[in-house]
Amino acid sequence: MADSKPAVDGEPMDMEALLQSVFGIVIDEAIQKGTSASEKVCEWKEPEELKQLLDLELQSQGESQEQILERCRAVIRYSVKTGHPRFFNQLFSGLDPHALAGRIITESLNTSQYTYEIAPVFVLMEEEVLKKLRALVGWSSGDGVFCPGGSVSNMYAMNLARYQRYPDCKQRGLRALPPLALFTSKECHYSINKGAAFLGLGTDSVRVVKADERGKMIPEDLERQIFQAEAEGSVPFLVSATSGTTVLGAFDPLDAIADVCQRHGLWFHVDAAWGGSVLLSQMHRHLLDGIQRADSVAWNPHKLLAAGLQCSALLLRDTSNLLKRCHGSQASYLFQQDKFYDVALDTGDKVVQCGRRVDCLKLWLMWKAQGGQGLEQRIDQAFALARYLVEEIKKREGFELVMEPEFVNVCFWFVPPSLRGKQERPDYTKRLAQVAPVLKERMVKEGSMMIGYQPHGTRANFFRMVVANPALTHADIDFLLDELERLGQDL
Amino acid sequence: MADSKPAVDGEPMDMEALLQSVFGIVIDEAIQKGTSASEKVCEWKEPEELKQLLDLELQSQGESQEQILERCRAVIRYSVKTGHPRFFNQLFSGLDPHALAGRIITESLNTSQYTYEIAPVFVLMEEEVLKKLRALVGWSSGDGVFCPGGSVSNMYAMNLARYQRYPDCKQRGLRALPPLALFTSKECHYSINKGAAFLGLGTDSVRVVKADERGKMIPEDLERQIFQAEAEGSVPFLVSATSGTTVLGAFDPLDAIADVCQRHGLWFHVDAAWGGSVLLSQMHRHLLDGIQRADSVAWNPHKLLAAGLQCSALLLRDTSNLLKRCHGSQASYLFQQDKFYDVALDTGDKVVQCGRRVDCLKLWLMWKAQGGQGLEQRIDQAFALARYLVEEIKKREGFELVMEPEFVNVCFWFVPPSLRGKQERPDYTKRLAQVAPVLKERMVKEGSMMIGYQPHGTRANFFRMVVANPALTHADIDFLLDELERLGQDL
């Protein structure tokens, strides 16, 4: 039954040799060069050229080991280095070696997180990690699960909230229910809208609550909206507050929102995908005061904790097995009840997926290595570096803060020489809006750094610096500002 | 800003040393021992003992490198070896080194598959891989996306089908629609029910079509059910056929089902999560004849192709940008329209997630290495080995086929000595049902092999052998039968 090619099927020695070579390439190209400030953060190619370079087409004939290793090198070469100290583009960055070690072990074990039978270590480990995250929220009991991303965690919360209110929905569907309404601020993540559409509620069911100029939900407007929804014949069932909004990094006032939820008997969800990790910091966790009053919390350690994509926990205060009742379907081929161990350990029926990746090991291993203290230090360091950036921005001509940040999102404009002091000109805003896209193109094509920009409400395109990579130093922050000046000096 | 511990933050040399050590452990423990027939497939521990052994609790203090490496060893030691040649427990198994190489590179690059900006290689690669899979379905154009598992792929298909019929649903929700009905056979995967509940349709909207005794959907009953749903005031919108059912490995008659869908104007989805890979085999792809008439296909290369969890493609015949219209929400912080490249390459708005893992590289790299021919050979080999098992079962006393398989699921009873020839006894079925759980407990506690069992309809617990690991040989099949005899000789 052996393969006819000189290939690796069933040949452990070849398998080992290949993987050793690939490990070497990963160490050299992705780890060393990928995190070195003297290397490019990206090697820009136009799509058509990149297609040629990668020779993507899948053929009938296999290729030699040498060709395959060359392909591995090319894939890494032309990929963006998200662990690079000048990658500021997303809410995730950096490269934690312990988390990466956990990810590599996860991949080598290749199992699914549904039964104790085939994932004994990870069933127990997931529960322990979730318990720790819940403790940081302030809960001594509860439930939870790792989801494929924060958007899915938010959808889970929405589904659990409606099931708790109307268990009939699972069987009879939304048509058997009154029209439902949920509430979130205009600064919420777009997954709330996507979730409402996917879950059949429709985006009209999302009532948009006003936010103040810092981006925080206004609890008084929330209550106004609840009354209005009721007056229009809808049944409010859920409020989704945000701890760490995507652009401004705002924290909704959770205690005041919890009061409103309590008065109206609403499920209180906190989307802390971005800001949840602040709970590790004694100094800054006050930003999430009141989170212990939530019914559910979405928290992505793959963002500020750099655990690696994806690591997204949905945490629940519930102790009534709501997850399993809401999502379970008791598949008899997988969740046999006549097993020789406690089948409560078969947690796969808590989720709407079947096979589910192991997302706990990377976080667990990193936590074991750094300790809660080490992780706390990282959070505090990120806040301190964000503060340093703010002060530097204030010192430099041509840089203008959008607002004082309260988190590690630092939003600012770079005003190029030709626009300085011209705020009164009628085309100022329009011209300022064109600056960020030009600078972005220049930095990406040079490969010197990557930072995101966006318009926001009536504000023209501004940069959103995200201080998340634990390897960042003052020098990297200085570089960011110097580089924007250099790239924009002729504008 | 340096960490106070002698840790790795910002220290490339330490990072490299740690990862080199972890690579070594992975090679020794997970790759070599993990795929060696002379090692155990699992090291069973009772949950309480395993908790002690793993020392799972997360502390404040970090640990030394030596402790961390010992933890890596323990995690691997007590995990099930799904790449082991005696792991027959799930629809995935085996360890393809090229796929694993692709997974390790994916983890080291740690990016998200939403924009060309931060995933240039993978945006182009995903499209190329999907194109190849679509070509095997029989489509020269279309769309698609990798999803976090087949269950989510199936949900996507359901959401797309209802959106295509009722675009209003996205905004106004299901309450604005007539009651909907979808159709699938009683042998379908449980994700169809989970999806109906999650999407707000309710499980009542799933009409269960009869299957024949081999587990294939009966098209005449499908049409009967459609008429009945209409008579009851529901609007049929989707049929989900299955290519490769979970337990019996049955293939629904796609052409006949396509005829029914065509007559009634219904979206035709094929859940080929398990059976889709058979399309690679010239010899066996007739099992999926008619699949080219589908509107959508779910296909998990992480199963029979051993690409690694998770690799789950949703393929669409649609060329009208339905995915993006149905799921998109145009987040301005991520999908800026004033970028310097063609923003059609920012495919992230096609999905309901935000961040999305890179699932294409592992499959692409494996395909490049093996070629389509090498993969085809694996499929053919799996069929041949399944046939060998069937013939051996027929030769041996005490083994009884549930039915002649048409795929690589081989379902059979082991009848222990005390029950042979006792079929007429009134408690025969009840006693036979107790055999598989006992044998399962014995094999797991010895760590000699793992194979799944389940009841099915009126049939008592039987074993489901899955021939999927490309490294399997006749000797492994012989071992399976010998081992069941050995474990069950006293029963």
Coordinates of all heavy atoms in Angstrom, one line a residue, chain A residues 291-366:
Chain A
I291 N -18.1 44.9 35.6 CA -18.2 43.7 34.6 C -18.7 42.5 35.3 O -19.3 41.6 34.7 CB -16.8 43.5 33.9 CG1 -17.0 42.6 32.7 CG2 -15.8 42.9 34.9 CD1 -15.8 42.5 31.8
Q292 N -18.4 42.4 36.7 CA -18.9 41.2 37.4 C -20.4 41.1 37.4 O -21.0 40.1 37.7 CB -18.3 41.3 38.8 CG -19.0 42.3 39.8 CD -18.5 43.7 39.5 OE1 -17.7 44.0 38.6 NE2 -19.1 44.7 40.3
R293 N -21.1 42.2 37.0 CA -22.6 42.1 37.0 C -23.1 41.7 35.6 O -24.3 41.5 35.4 CB -23.1 43.5 37.3 CG -22.7 44.0 38.7 CD -23.1 45.5 38.9 NE -24.5 45.7 39.0 CZ -25.1 46.8 39.0 NH1 -24.4 47.9 39.0 NH2 -26.4 46.9 39.0
A294 N -22.2 41.4 34.7 CA -22.6 40.9 33.4 C -23.1 39.5 33.5 O -22.8 38.8 34.4 CB -21.4 41.0 32.4
D295 N -23.9 39.1 32.5 CA -24.3 37.8 32.3 C -23.3 37.0 31.4 O -23.2 35.8 31.6 CB -25.7 37.7 31.6 CG -26.8 38.3 32.5 OD1 -27.1 37.6 33.6 OD2 -27.3 39.4 32.3
S296 N -22.7 37.7 30.5 CA -21.7 37.1 29.6 C -20.7 38.1 29.2 O -21.0 39.3 29.2 CB -22.4 36.6 28.3 OG -23.2 37.6 27.7
V297 N -19.5 37.6 29.0 CA -18.4 38.4 28.6 C -17.6 37.8 27.5 O -17.3 36.6 27.5 CB -17.4 38.6 29.8 CG1 -16.1 39.3 29.4 CG2 -18.1 39.4 30.9
A298 N -17.3 38.5 26.4 CA -16.5 38.0 25.3 C -15.1 38.7 25.5 O -15.0 39.9 25.7 CB -17.0 38.4 24.0
W299 N -14.1 37.9 25.5 CA -12.7 38.3 25.8 C -11.7 37.6 25.0 O -11.6 36.4 25.0 CB -12.4 38.1 27.3 CG -11.0 38.4 27.8 CD1 -9.9 38.7 27.1 CD2 -10.6 38.2 29.2 NE1 -8.9 38.9 27.9 CE2 -9.2 38.6 29.2 CE3 -11.2 37.9 30.4 CZ2 -8.5 38.6 30.4 CZ3 -10.5 37.9 31.5 CH2 -9.1 38.2 31.5
N300 N -11.0 38.3 24.1 CA -10.0 37.7 23.2 C -8.6 37.8 23.7 O -7.9 38.8 23.4 CB -10.1 38.4 21.8 CG -11.4 38.1 21.1 OD1 -12.3 37.4 21.6 ND2 -11.4 38.5 19.8
P301 N -8.0 36.8 24.3 CA -6.6 36.9 24.7 C -5.7 36.9 23.5 O -4.5 37.2 23.7 CB -6.4 35.7 25.6 CG -7.8 35.4 26.1 CD -8.7 35.7 25.0
H302 N -6.2 36.7 22.3 CA -5.3 36.8 21.1 C -5.0 38.2 20.8 O -4.1 38.5 19.9 CB -5.8 36.0 19.9 CG -7.0 36.6 19.2 ND1 -8.2 35.8 19.0 CD2 -7.2 37.8 18.7 CE1 -9.0 36.6 18.3 NE2 -8.5 37.8 18.1
K303 N -5.7 39.2 21.4 CA -5.4 40.6 21.1 C -4.3 41.1 22.0 O -3.2 40.8 21.8 CB -6.7 41.4 21.2 CG -7.7 41.0 20.1 CD -8.9 42.0 20.0 CE -9.6 41.9 18.6 NZ -10.7 40.9 18.7
L304 N -4.7 41.7 23.1 CA -3.7 42.4 23.9 C -2.7 41.4 24.6 O -1.6 41.8 24.9 CB -4.4 43.3 25.0 CG -3.5 44.3 25.7 CD1 -2.8 45.2 24.7 CD2 -4.4 45.2 26.6
L305 N -3.1 40.2 24.8 CA -2.2 39.2 25.5 C -1.3 38.5 24.5 O -0.5 37.7 24.9 CB -3.0 38.2 26.3 CG -3.6 38.8 27.6 CD1 -4.3 37.7 28.4 CD2 -2.5 39.4 28.5
A306 N -1.6 38.7 23.2 CA -0.7 38.1 22.1 C -0.7 36.6 22.2 O 0.4 36.0 21.9 CB 0.7 38.7 22.2
A307 N -1.8 36.0 22.5 CA -1.8 34.5 22.6 C -1.8 33.8 21.2 O -1.4 32.7 21.1 CB -3.1 34.0 23.4
G308 N -2.2 34.6 20.2 CA -2.2 34.0 18.8 C -3.6 33.7 18.4 O -4.4 33.3 19.2
L309 N -3.8 34.0 17.1 CA -5.1 33.8 16.5 C -5.5 32.3 16.4 O -4.7 31.6 15.9 CB -5.2 34.4 15.1 CG -5.1 36.0 15.1 CD1 -4.7 36.5 13.8 CD2 -6.5 36.5 15.5
Q310 N -6.6 31.8 16.9 CA -7.5 32.6 17.6 C -7.6 32.1 19.1 O -7.5 30.9 19.3 CB -8.9 32.5 17.0 CG -9.0 33.3 15.7 CD -10.3 33.2 15.0 OE1 -11.0 32.3 15.1 NE2 -10.6 34.3 14.2
C311 N -7.9 33.0 20.0 CA -8.1 32.7 21.4 C -9.1 33.6 21.9 O -8.8 34.8 22.2 CB -6.8 32.8 22.1 SG -6.8 32.2 23.8
S312 N -10.4 33.2 21.9 CA -11.5 34.0 22.1 C -12.5 33.3 23.1 O -13.1 32.3 22.7 CB -12.2 34.3 20.8 OG -13.4 35.1 21.1
A313 N -12.5 33.8 24.3 CA -13.3 33.2 25.3 C -14.7 33.8 25.5 O -14.8 35.1 25.5 CB -12.6 33.2 26.7
L314 N -15.7 33.0 25.5 CA -17.0 33.5 26.0 C -17.2 33.0 27.4 O -17.2 31.8 27.6 CB -18.1 33.0 25.1 CG -19.5 33.4 25.6 CD1 -19.8 34.9 25.4 CD2 -20.6 32.6 25.0
L315 N -17.4 33.9 28.3 CA -17.5 33.6 29.7 C -19.0 33.8 30.2 O -19.6 34.8 29.8 CB -16.6 34.4 30.6 CG -15.1 34.4 30.1 CD1 -14.3 35.4 30.9 CD2 -14.5 33.0 30.3
L316 N -19.5 32.9 31.0 CA -20.9 33.0 31.4 C -21.0 33.0 32.9 O -20.3 32.2 33.6 CB -21.7 31.9 30.8 CG -21.8 31.9 29.3 CD1 -22.5 30.6 28.9 CD2 -22.6 33.1 28.8
R317 N -21.9 33.7 33.5 CA -22.1 33.6 34.9 C -23.0 32.5 35.2 O -23.1 32.0 36.4 CB -22.8 35.0 35.4 CG -22.7 35.1 36.9 CD -23.1 36.5 37.3 NE -24.4 36.9 36.7 CZ -25.0 38.0 37.0 NH1 -24.5 38.9 37.8 NH2 -26.2 38.3 36.4
D318 N -23.7 32.0 34.2 CA -24.7 30.9 34.4 C -24.1 29.6 35.0 O -23.1 29.2 34.6 CB -25.3 30.6 33.0 CG -26.2 29.4 33.0 OD1 -27.3 29.5 33.5 OD2 -25.7 28.3 32.6
T319 N -24.9 29.0 35.8 CA -24.5 27.7 36.4 C -25.6 26.7 36.2 O -25.7 25.6 36.8 CB -24.3 27.8 37.9 OG1 -25.4 28.4 38.5 CG2 -23.1 28.7 38.2
S320 N -26.5 27.0 35.2 CA -27.7 26.1 35.0 C -27.5 25.3 33.7 O -28.5 24.7 33.2 CB -28.9 26.9 34.9 OG -29.0 27.6 33.7
N321 N -26.3 25.2 33.2 CA -26.0 24.4 32.0 C -26.7 25.0 30.8 O -27.1 24.3 29.9 CB -26.4 23.0 32.2 CG -25.4 22.0 31.5 OD1 -24.3 22.5 31.1 ND2 -25.7 20.8 31.5
L322 N -26.8 26.3 30.8 CA -27.6 27.0 29.7 C -26.9 26.8 28.4 O -27.6 26.5 27.4 CB -27.6 28.5 30.0 CG -28.3 29.4 29.0 CD1 -29.8 29.2 29.1 CD2 -28.0 30.9 29.3
L323 N -25.6 26.8 28.3 CA -24.9 26.6 27.0 C -25.3 25.2 26.4 O -25.6 25.2 25.2 CB -23.3 26.5 27.3 CG -22.5 27.7 27.0 CD1 -21.0 27.4 27.3 CD2 -22.6 28.2 25.6
K324 N -25.3 24.2 27.2 CA -25.6 22.9 26.7 C -27.1 22.8 26.3 O -27.5 22.2 25.3 CB -25.2 21.8 27.7 CG -24.9 20.5 27.0 CD -24.0 19.7 28.0 CE -23.6 18.3 27.4 NZ -22.6 17.7 28.3
R325 N -27.9 23.4 27.2 CA -29.4 23.3 26.9 C -29.7 24.1 25.6 O -30.5 23.6 24.8 CB -30.2 23.8 28.0 CG -30.2 22.9 29.2 CD -31.1 23.4 30.3 NE -30.5 24.6 31.0 CZ -31.1 25.7 31.2 NH1 -32.3 25.9 30.6 NH2 -30.5 26.7 31.8
C326 N -29.0 25.2 25.4 CA -29.3 26.1 24.3 C -28.8 25.5 23.0 O -29.4 25.5 21.9 CB -28.7 27.4 24.5 SG -28.9 28.6 23.1
H327 N -27.6 24.9 23.0 CA -26.9 24.5 21.8 C -26.9 23.0 21.6 O -26.6 22.5 20.5 CB -25.4 25.0 21.8 CG -25.3 26.4 21.8 ND1 -24.3 27.1 22.4 CD2 -26.0 27.4 21.1 CE1 -24.5 28.4 22.2 NE2 -25.5 28.6 21.4
G328 N -27.2 22.2 22.6 CA -27.0 20.7 22.5 C -27.9 20.1 21.6 O -29.1 20.5 21.4
S329 N -27.5 19.0 21.0 CA -28.4 18.1 20.2 C -28.1 16.6 20.4 O -28.6 15.8 19.7 CB -28.3 18.5 18.7 OG -27.2 17.9 18.1
Q330 N -27.3 16.3 21.4 CA -27.1 14.9 21.8 C -26.8 13.9 20.7 O -27.5 12.9 20.5 CB -28.3 14.4 22.6 CG -28.6 15.1 23.9 CD -29.5 16.3 23.7 OE1 -30.5 16.2 23.0 NE2 -29.2 17.4 24.4
A331 N -25.9 14.2 19.8 CA -25.5 13.3 18.7 C -25.0 12.0 19.3 O -24.1 11.9 20.1 CB -24.4 13.9 17.8
S332 N -25.7 10.9 18.9 CA -25.4 9.6 19.6 C -24.1 9.0 19.2 O -23.6 8.1 19.8 CB -26.5 8.7 19.4 OG -26.7 8.4 18.1
Y333 N -23.5 9.4 18.0 CA -22.3 8.8 17.5 C -21.1 9.4 18.2 O -20.0 8.9 18.2 CB -22.2 9.0 16.0 CG -21.7 10.3 15.6 CD1 -20.4 10.6 15.4 CD2 -22.6 11.3 15.3 CE1 -20.0 11.9 15.0 CE2 -22.3 12.6 14.9 CZ -20.9 12.9 14.8 OH -20.5 14.1 14.4
L334 N -21.3 10.6 18.9 CA -20.2 11.3 19.5 C -20.3 11.4 21.0 O -19.3 11.2 21.7 CB -20.1 12.7 18.9 CG -18.9 13.5 19.1 CD1 -17.7 12.8 18.5 CD2 -19.1 14.9 18.3
F335 N -21.5 11.6 21.5 CA -21.7 11.8 22.9 C -22.5 10.6 23.5 O -23.6 10.8 24.0 CB -22.5 13.1 23.1 CG -21.8 14.3 22.5 CD1 -22.4 15.0 21.5 CD2 -20.5 14.7 22.9 CE1 -21.7 16.1 20.9 CE2 -19.8 15.8 22.3 CZ -20.5 16.5 21.3
Q336 N -21.9 9.4 23.3 CA -22.5 8.2 23.8 C -22.7 8.4 25.3 O -21.8 8.8 26.0 CB -21.7 7.0 23.5 CG -21.4 6.7 22.1 CD -20.1 7.4 21.6 OE1 -19.7 8.5 22.1 NE2 -19.5 6.9 20.6
Q337 N -23.8 7.9 25.8 CA -24.1 8.0 27.3 C -23.7 6.8 28.0 O -23.7 6.8 29.3 CB -25.6 8.3 27.5 CG -26.1 9.6 26.9 CD -25.4 10.8 27.4 OE1 -25.4 11.1 28.6 NE2 -24.7 11.5 26.5
D338 N -23.2 5.8 27.3 CA -22.8 4.5 28.0 C -21.3 4.4 28.1 O -20.7 3.4 28.1 CB -23.4 3.3 27.4 CG -23.2 3.2 25.9 OD1 -22.4 4.1 25.3 OD2 -23.7 2.3 25.2
K339 N -20.6 5.6 28.1 CA -19.1 5.6 28.2 C -18.7 5.2 29.6 O -19.5 5.3 30.5 CB -18.6 7.0 27.8 CG -18.7 7.3 26.3 CD -18.0 8.6 26.0 CE -18.1 9.0 24.5 NZ -17.5 10.3 24.2
F340 N -17.4 4.9 29.7 CA -16.9 4.4 31.0 C -16.4 5.6 31.8 O -15.8 5.3 32.9 CB -15.8 3.4 30.7 CG -14.6 3.9 30.0 CD1 -13.5 4.4 30.7 CD2 -14.5 3.9 28.6 CE1 -12.4 4.9 30.1 CE2 -13.4 4.4 28.0 CZ -12.3 4.9 28.7
Y341 N -16.5 6.8 31.4 CA -16.1 7.9 32.2 C -17.3 8.9 32.3 O -18.3 8.8 31.6 CB -14.9 8.6 31.7 CG -15.0 9.2 30.3 CD1 -15.5 10.4 30.1 CD2 -14.6 8.4 29.2 CE1 -15.6 11.0 28.8 CE2 -14.7 8.9 27.9 CZ -15.2 10.2 27.7 OH -15.3 10.7 26.4
D342 N -17.1 9.9 33.2 CA -18.2 10.9 33.4 C -18.4 11.7 32.1 O -17.6 12.6 31.7 CB -17.8 11.8 34.5 CG -18.8 13.0 34.8 OD1 -19.8 12.9 34.1 OD2 -18.4 13.9 35.6
V343 N -19.5 11.5 31.4 CA -19.8 12.2 30.1 C -20.0 13.7 30.3 O -20.1 14.4 29.3 CB -20.9 11.5 29.3 CG1 -20.5 10.1 29.0 CG2 -22.2 11.5 30.1
A344 N -20.1 14.2 31.5 CA -20.2 15.6 31.6 C -18.9 16.3 31.1 O -18.8 17.5 30.8 CB -20.4 16.0 33.1
L345 N -17.8 15.5 31.0 CA -16.6 16.0 30.5 C -16.6 16.1 29.0 O -15.6 16.7 28.4 CB -15.4 15.1 30.9 CG -15.1 15.1 32.4 CD1 -14.2 13.9 32.8 CD2 -14.4 16.4 32.8
D346 N -17.6 15.6 28.3 CA -17.7 15.7 26.9 C -18.4 17.1 26.6 O -19.6 17.1 26.5 CB -18.5 14.6 26.3 CG -17.6 13.3 26.3 OD1 -16.5 13.3 26.7 OD2 -18.2 12.2 26.0
T347 N -17.6 18.1 26.5 CA -18.2 19.5 26.5 C -18.6 19.9 25.0 O -19.0 21.1 24.9 CB -17.1 20.5 27.0 OG1 -15.9 20.3 26.4 CG2 -16.9 20.2 28.5
G348 N -18.4 19.1 24.1 CA -18.6 19.5 22.7 C -20.0 19.9 22.4 O -20.3 20.6 21.4
D349 N -21.0 19.4 23.2 CA -22.4 19.8 22.9 C -22.8 21.1 23.4 O -23.9 21.6 23.2 CB -23.3 18.7 23.4 CG -24.5 18.3 22.5 OD1 -24.4 18.7 21.3 OD2 -25.5 17.7 22.9
K350 N -21.8 21.8 24.0 CA -22.0 23.2 24.4 C -22.0 24.2 23.3 O -22.3 25.4 23.4 CB -21.0 23.6 25.4 CG -21.0 23.0 26.8 CD -20.0 23.6 27.7 CE -20.1 23.0 29.1 NZ -19.2 23.6 30.1
V351 N -21.5 23.7 22.1 CA -21.2 24.7 21.0 C -22.1 24.4 19.8 O -22.6 23.3 19.7 CB -19.7 24.7 20.7 CG1 -18.9 25.1 21.9 CG2 -19.3 23.3 20.1
V352 N -22.1 25.3 18.9 CA -22.9 25.0 17.6 C -22.0 24.4 16.6 O -22.5 23.9 15.6 CB -23.6 26.3 17.1 CG1 -24.6 26.9 18.1 CG2 -22.5 27.4 16.7
Q353 N -20.7 24.4 16.8 CA -19.8 23.7 15.9 C -19.8 22.2 16.3 O -20.4 21.8 17.3 CB -18.3 24.2 16.0 CG -18.1 25.7 15.8 CD -18.0 26.4 17.1 OE1 -18.9 26.8 17.8 NE2 -16.7 26.7 17.4
C354 N -19.1 21.4 15.5 CA -19.0 20.0 15.9 C -17.5 19.9 16.3 O -17.1 20.0 17.4 CB -19.4 19.1 14.8 SG -19.0 17.3 15.1
G355 N -16.6 19.7 15.3 CA -15.2 19.8 15.6 C -14.8 21.2 16.1 O -15.4 22.1 15.6
R356 N -14.0 21.3 17.0 CA -13.6 22.6 17.5 C -12.1 22.6 17.9 O -11.6 21.7 18.5 CB -14.4 22.9 18.8 CG -14.2 24.3 19.3 CD -15.4 24.7 20.2 NE -15.4 23.9 21.4 CZ -14.8 24.2 22.6 NH1 -14.1 25.4 22.7 NH2 -14.9 23.5 23.6
R357 N -11.4 23.6 17.4 CA -10.0 23.7 17.6 C -9.7 23.8 19.1 O -10.4 24.4 19.9 CB -9.4 24.9 16.9 CG -9.3 24.7 15.4 CD -8.8 26.0 14.8 NE -7.5 26.3 15.4 CZ -6.3 25.8 15.1 NH1 -6.2 24.9 14.1 NH2 -5.3 26.2 15.7
V358 N -8.5 23.4 19.5 CA -8.0 23.6 20.8 C -7.4 25.0 20.9 O -6.4 25.3 20.3 CB -6.9 22.5 21.1 CG1 -6.2 22.9 22.5 CG2 -7.5 21.1 21.2
D359 N -8.0 25.9 21.7 CA -7.5 27.3 21.8 C -7.0 27.6 23.2 O -6.6 28.8 23.4 CB -8.7 28.2 21.4 CG -9.0 28.2 19.9 OD1 -8.0 27.9 19.1 OD2 -10.1 28.5 19.6
C360 N -7.0 26.6 24.1 CA -6.6 27.0 25.4 C -5.1 26.8 25.7 O -4.5 27.5 26.5 CB -7.4 26.1 26.4 SG -7.2 24.3 26.1
L361 N -4.4 25.9 25.0 CA -3.0 25.6 25.4 C -2.1 26.8 25.2 O -1.2 27.0 26.1 CB -2.5 24.4 24.5 CG -1.1 24.0 24.7 CD1 -0.7 23.6 26.1 CD2 -0.7 22.9 23.7
K362 N -2.2 27.5 24.1 CA -1.3 28.6 23.9 C -1.4 29.6 25.0 O -0.4 30.2 25.5 CB -1.6 29.3 22.6 CG -3.1 29.6 22.3 CD -3.4 29.8 20.8 CE -4.9 29.9 20.6 NZ -5.2 29.8 19.1
L363 N -2.6 29.9 25.5 CA -2.8 30.8 26.6 C -2.3 30.3 27.9 O -1.6 30.9 28.7 CB -4.3 31.2 26.7 CG -4.7 32.2 27.8 CD1 -3.9 33.5 27.7 CD2 -6.2 32.5 27.8
W364 N -2.6 29.0 28.1 CA -2.2 28.3 29.4 C -0.7 28.3 29.5 O -0.1 28.6 30.5 CB -2.8 26.9 29.4 CG -2.4 26.1 30.6 CD1 -3.1 26.1 31.8 CD2 -1.4 25.1 30.7 NE1 -2.5 25.2 32.7 CE2 -1.5 24.6 32.1 CE3 -0.4 24.6 29.9 CZ2 -0.6 23.6 32.5 CZ3 0.5 23.7 30.4 CH2 0.4 23.2 31.7
L365 N 0.0 27.9 28.4 CA 1.5 27.8 28.5 C 2.1 29.2 28.7 O 3.1 29.3 29.4 CB 2.0 27.1 27.2 CG 3.4 26.6 27.2 CD1 3.5 25.4 28.2 CD2 3.8 26.0 25.8
M366 N 1.6 30.2 28.0 CA 2.1 31.5 28.1 C 1.9 32.0 29.6 O 2.8 32.6 30.1 CB 1.4 32.5 27.1 CG 1.9 33.9 27.2 SD 1.1 34.9 25.9 CE -0.6 35.1 26.5

